[in-house]
């Protein structure tokens, strides 16, 4: 089934540890996105990539990094996790300009 | 509407009634708008979209209305069902410094369908 897959589904992480959230899509979408979702704040864009090989910063990029080595994969890395990064993280992709974004099921991350 | 503080605005609707969810968007240059539905524990799912050259679009049981004059978007759900209980987000497509633009999301509205 075509779609967008995130891993892990949930994770408890000690503060200071490094963590990579994985995201893979098989729809051959050009653009991919990472959002965090916190109650009352909606979905906030962390980083994005419009095409393989390019990335950009969203609203809340600090403490996060991404790479886009190929079309399908867009991992998000927390170099040294802090409790304020406790959130639900969603990866999304879209085919092109003026099209809807498709979302993964999310990764619930708790930093303790 | 938009949320205040840590609590989402909640719309309580009786099963069978029509629901109207409102959203104010920020950028008068936005040219594309989307409504998403998010059920508990799941990712947002596309419901319906509308481009700025339209003021109304209908789908199955849903209608989106766009008022560019006051930068307002609404989602109407006809004959609301228990399965419509979810958080609903509006998103606007905002052009930035690159040629792609980005989707900016509102904080969401919780819809609770009562029997």
């Amino acid at each position: 089934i075509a779609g967008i897959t995130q891993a892990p589904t949930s994770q408890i992480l000690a503060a200071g540890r490094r963590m990579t959230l994985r995201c893979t899509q098989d729809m051959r979408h050009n653009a991919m996105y990472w959002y965090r979702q916190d109650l009352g704040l909606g979905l906030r864009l962390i980083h994005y990539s419009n095409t393989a090989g390019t990335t950009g910063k969203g609203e809340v990029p600090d403490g996060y990094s991404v790479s886009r080595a190929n079309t399908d994969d867009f991992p998000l890395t927390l170099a040294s996790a802090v409790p304020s990064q406790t959130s639900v993280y969603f990866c999304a992709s879209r085919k092109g300009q003026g099209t809807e974004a498709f979302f993964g099921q999310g990764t619930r991350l708790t930093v303790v | 509407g938009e949320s205040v503080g840590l609590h989402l605005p909640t719309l309580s609707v009786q099963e069978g009634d029509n629901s109207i969810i409102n959203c104010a968007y920020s950028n008068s240059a936005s040219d594309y708008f989307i409504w998403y539905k998010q059920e508990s524990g799941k990712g947002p799912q596309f419901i319906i979209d509308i481009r700025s050259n339209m003021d109304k679009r209908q789908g199955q049981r849903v209608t989106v209305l766009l008022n560019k004059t006051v930068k307002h978007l609404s989602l109407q759900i006809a004959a609301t069902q228990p399965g419509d209980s979810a958080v609903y987000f509006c998103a606007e497509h905002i052009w930035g410094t690159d040629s792609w633009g980005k989707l900016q999301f509102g904080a969401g509205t919780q819809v609770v369908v009562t029997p």
Side-chain angles (χ1 to χ4, degrees), chain A residues 59-99:
Chain A
E59 305 173 65
V60 288
D62 294 343
Y64 306 95
S65 63
V66 292
S67 62
R68 186 87 183 279
N70 56 60
T71 299
D72 299 344
D73 301 300
F74 191 43
L76 175 74
T77 298
L78 288 68
S80 179
V82 294
S84 63
Q85 292 178 309
T86 294
S87 187
V88 181
Y89 291 85
F90 288 100
C91 181
S93 70
R94 61 176 175 147
K95 185 175 183 180
Q97 300 176 19
T99 61

Side-chain angles (χ1 to χ4, degrees), chain A residues 37 40 48 50 94 97-98 101, chain B residues 3 36 38 51 98-99 101-102:
Chain A
Q37 185 176 37
Y48 66 94
N50 289 335
R94 61 176 175 147
Q97 300 176 19
Chain B
S3 70
Y36 284 91
Q38 186 178 23
R51 301 195 184 277
D98 61 34
S99 61
K102 302 175 193 57

Side-chain angles (χ1 to χ4, degrees), chain A residues 30-31 33 35 37 39-43 45 48 50-51 57 90 94-105, chain B residues 3 5-8 32 34 36 38 41-44 46 49 51 89 93 95 98-103 105-107:
Chain A
N30 291 303
Y33 306 86
Y35 291 88
Q37 185 176 37
L39 185 63
L41 296 176
L43 290 155
L45 183 64
Y48 66 94
N50 289 335
T51 57
K57 294 181 180 180
F90 288 100
R94 61 176 175 147
K95 185 175 183 180
Q97 300 176 19
T99 61
E100 74 270 26
F102 293 83
F103 284 82
Q105 292 301 300
Chain B
S3 70
L6 297 177
H7 302 283
L8 291 178
Y32 177 60
I34 310 173
Y36 284 91
Q38 186 178 23
K42 297 184 178 180
F46 171 85
D49 58 3
R51 301 195 184 277
F89 294 94
H93 182 253
W95 293 101
D98 61 34
S99 61
W100 277 73
K102 302 175 193 57
L103 291 176
F105 288 81

